[in-house]
Amino acid sequence: MLRINLARARLALPALMVLALAACQTGGAQHRGVGASGLGATHVAELRAAAGLSPLARDAKLEKAAISQAAYMAASGKMNHTTGFGRDFATRMRKEGVAAPAAENLAHGRMEPPRLFAMWMASPGHRANMLDPRFSRYGLAYASDGSGQRYWALVLGR
């Protein structure tokens, strides 16, 4: 009886491995966050200059925090500052080693940076974050869901 089970297991193992690999390729890859700070550099600089503020510098730590949040939102299909694990913005920033004050702008849709930044500038809260004189650094990222919607995260800090 033991030989039969082992023989069946040997036959089933390759099929299970193929299924596992296929699941990995279709599930997680589409939600991987992409750093996009370079795509936002011109927009951030122009917006701040128009307000008489110094430009923001791209920051790898803030971009990493933005990538994490964008990927979470794409995977969950929810645009929210709090993750499913109950981590709010302040908790996430502490975990990422980002000191206060910090702020976060979120968006989703099929848009490129010009439209994204115009939309944020039209929103008083998002505009205030981008034009806050306390901030000197930023990180921008997005992740796409299966339908091509992008989930954007902009993290600002000093």
Side-chain angles (χ1 to χ4, degrees):
M1 182 119 170
L2 183 58
R3 281 186 195 201
I4 294 172
N5 287 340
L6 286 175
R8 285 184 183 165
R10 280 189 210 134
L11 290 174
L13 185 59
L16 290 172
M17 289 175 62
V18 168
L19 286 173
L21 287 173
C24 289
Q25 291 174 353
T26 59
Q30 66 191 4
H31 306 303
R32 186 166 295 135
V34 176
S37 296
L39 295 176
T42 302
H43 303 287
V44 171
E46 289 174 356
L47 297 171
R48 299 222 2 136
L53 297 169
S54 60
L56 299 176
R58 292 164 51 180
D59 182 272
K61 188 183 288 188
L62 296 179
E63 185 172 85
K64 182 180 174 224
I67 289 169
S68 295
Q69 187 60 14
Y72 167 77
M73 292 186 305
S76 69
K78 297 177 185 172
M79 191 175 73
N80 199 332
H81 294 283
T82 302
T83 67
F85 304 111
R87 291 190 182 117
D88 62 8
F89 176 70
T91 302
R92 288 188 292 110
M93 291 304 102
R94 277 192 303 275
K95 182 179 178 249
E96 297 283 347
V98 176
E104 177 176 69
N105 288 359
L106 304 177
H108 82 283
R110 288 184 177 95
M111 66 186 90
E112 295 298 322
R115 182 170 168 226
L116 173 71
F117 282 94
M119 185 178 73
W120 279 335
M121 286 300 284
S123 163
H126 295 106
R127 178 186 182 92
N129 286 344
M130 292 188 300
L131 300 181
D132 190 322
R134 297 176 299 167
F135 299 141
S136 60
R137 303 174 299 123
Y138 78 99
L140 176 67
Y142 69 86
S144 298
D145 67 11
S147 69
Q149 293 281 332
R150 283 184 177 177
Y151 287 80
W152 291 91
L154 172 69
V155 178
L156 304 142
R158 55 183 176 138

